[in-house]
Amino acid sequence: MTPRSYRFGIQIVLGVIALSAMITGPYVLGWFSRSPAPPAAQDLRDASYPLGDFRLVERSGRDVTNADLSERVWIAAFTFTRCPLSCPRISATLKSLQAKLEGTRVRLVSITVDPEFDTPAVLSEYARTYGADPEAWWFVTGEKSAVYDLILKQFRISVATTSEEERKEGAEAVAHSDRLALIGPGNRVMGLFDSKDAAALDALIAQARGLDARLQRPWVALMPKINASLNAACALLLMLGWAAIRSGKSKLHSACMIGGVAVSALFLGCYLVYHWFAGSKTFVGPALPRFVYTTILLSHTLLATFGVVPLVISTLYRASRGTFDRHARVASLTFPIWMYVSITGVVIYWMLYQMTFSTSLAAG
């Protein structure tokens, strides 16, 4: 393998990293324009908390308790039927979520913040106006004290009856959060998502789908670790293959390189299967770690797609044809790029699934 090709491969890696940083920096760090901060508590991760016990009444008249939802992923919204401003928008958003989550077991639950007026009969009529599937989208009410305790103390978000003076100034009869709460298995509050933010709603759908897939198919939860392990194995095989050819052990070198190709192909299959069932996962964290993560992810993706795939094919082709001088030159270029992609595959897993940050739980 030629040192010049090594240097060229390293220069390509460094150039793509620099390009990725230039692309992501202005948006993630707000260098050119002030980027809004992500909504507080959008993804609680390790700061998730148990919702606790509750008993409410569904529009059908049946009692609903925490036990009825503990084995599901569900999304809670806070609305009331007499609400003229925010609630029609929130309910329309839930209607779109109902369509986008079709085929999953994720349930939508609209919790009224005006339970004294919103009886099961009133909620039934309201649900019909939005085409709510009785199985996929529940509307619940109950005693006002129980509903408000659930929202304030258990969901830990705001709700309050407004004064007559506030209503004269245009306020709704009940001031309430327009965030959507994602509740995972075991009734743990996993995140609070801004219902007005399209990106937040996309993240909510992806996380709900991912949680549902892992609940229905336990093996899906293992896939990120498996994928990271495959990347680590590929990096190890590449290093062993490089050391073998440097020591003149051509057979061991060939075995390691073929193993690296096989492991990479297996990784690609596992990666596609995981994202088919679980969707994508968004990195949540402060601006600087998010900039580092996005730069690594973009450079990893570009080099994997436009670097590793064609270079590995070219390297294998030259080896199969017996043109080992050309094979060595291409392999020297391929090695640093392939190694970077394999190592960053592990780094991406660690940053996305293992890094944690303190999360604000501001009520809203």
Side-chain angles (χ1 to χ4, degrees):
M1 297 187 180
T2 62
R4 180 176 296 179
S5 296
Y6 279 134
R7 287 196 297 270
F8 187 41
I10 293 171
Q11 288 168 358
I12 290 175
V13 169
L14 294 176
V16 172
I17 294 172
L19 176 64
S20 300
M22 291 172 62
I23 293 172
T24 60
Y27 299 100
V28 176
L29 297 177
W31 290 341
F32 296 157
S33 61
R34 187 67 179 173
S35 298
Q42 183 166 299
D43 182 351
L44 297 178
R45 293 202 178 186
D46 290 345
S48 66
Y49 51 89
L51 187 60
D53 297 339
F54 59 85
R55 179 178 292 274
L56 299 170
V57 179
E58 211 273 323
R59 71 182 186 271
S60 62
R62 66 179 290 263
D63 285 348
V64 172
T65 70
N66 49 291
D68 295 309
L69 292 164
S70 63
E71 298 301 320
R72 280 187 184 254
V73 177
W74 52 291
I75 297 169
F78 310 94
T79 60
F80 63 109
T81 61
R82 293 189 292 179
C83 170
L85 300 174
S86 63
C87 299
R89 176 186 57 77
I90 296 171
S91 295
T93 298
L94 289 179
K95 182 178 180 179
S96 71
L97 292 183
Q98 178 180 243
K100 292 175 181 177
L101 291 168
E102 187 175 359
T104 72
R105 295 182 73 248
V106 177
R107 177 167 284 150
L108 307 176
V109 180
S110 289
I111 300 173
T112 180
V113 295
D114 185 18
E116 293 174 334
F117 179 84
D118 287 341
T119 63
V122 171
L123 290 176
S124 292
E125 183 61 32
Y126 185 76
R128 278 194 289 271
T129 65
Y130 286 96
D133 182 335
E135 177 59 25
W137 186 358
W138 288 358
F139 290 75
V140 297
T141 186
E143 293 293 332
K144 183 175 181 179
S145 59
V147 171
Y148 275 43
D149 279 350
L150 173 62
I151 297 172
L152 289 167
K153 298 178 181 178
Q154 294 172 242
F155 277 104
R156 306 179 190 178
I157 59 177
S158 60
V159 62
T161 303
T162 57
S163 65
E164 185 176 347
E165 291 75 14
E166 290 173 320
R167 290 194 290 274
K168 287 180 180 178
E169 294 177 359
E172 295 176 341
V174 182
H176 60 93
S177 174
D178 61 0
R179 288 200 252 172
L180 305 179
L182 174 63
I183 301 92
N187 286 326
R188 293 192 68 85
V189 180
M190 310 298 292
L192 301 169
F193 295 78
D194 187 349
S195 64
K196 301 186 296 295
D197 185 334
L201 291 175
D202 288 343
L204 169 61
I205 292 169
Q207 290 187 36
R209 281 187 170 276
L211 286 169
D212 181 65
R214 290 190 285 274
L215 183 63
Q216 302 310 314
R217 305 173 182 87
W219 55 267
V220 173
L222 298 175
M223 294 303 292
K225 290 182 179 179
I226 292 172
N227 290 338
S229 299
L230 291 171
N231 273 309
C234 184
L236 179 60
L237 286 168
L238 292 177
M239 286 300 301
L240 289 174
W242 177 81
I245 200 63
R246 301 279 290 184
S247 303
K249 301 175 181 178
S250 58
K251 290 185 178 180
L252 177 60
H253 167 77
S254 298
C256 289
M257 293 301 100
I258 292 172
V261 172
V263 168
S264 292
L266 181 59
F267 162 78
L268 178 60
C270 291
Y271 175 87
L272 294 174
V273 167
Y274 172 73
H275 286 283
W276 173 265
F277 287 109
S280 59
K281 185 174 177 63
T282 304
F283 180 84
V284 177
L288 184 57
R290 197 163 67 252
F291 165 65
V292 173
Y293 170 80
T294 309
T295 298
I296 293 173
L297 177 64
L298 181 57
S299 61
H300 169 92
T301 304
L302 290 173
L303 288 169
T305 305
F306 302 107
V308 171
V309 173
L311 285 171
V312 168
I313 292 173
S314 178
T315 304
L316 291 175
Y317 174 76
R318 283 168 170 75
S320 67
R321 300 285 292 180
T323 54
F324 292 108
D325 288 343
R326 294 182 178 179
H327 166 79
R329 286 196 295 272
V330 178
S332 298
L333 175 62
T334 305
F335 176 75
I337 298 174
W338 197 358
M339 180 63 73
Y340 176 80
V341 168
S342 298
I343 292 173
T344 52
V346 180
V347 173
I348 289 167
Y349 162 78
W350 177 74
M351 294 189 73
L352 189 58
Y353 293 93
Q354 301 300 322
M355 285 185 72
T356 57
F357 304 94
S358 59
T359 309
S360 170
L361 290 178

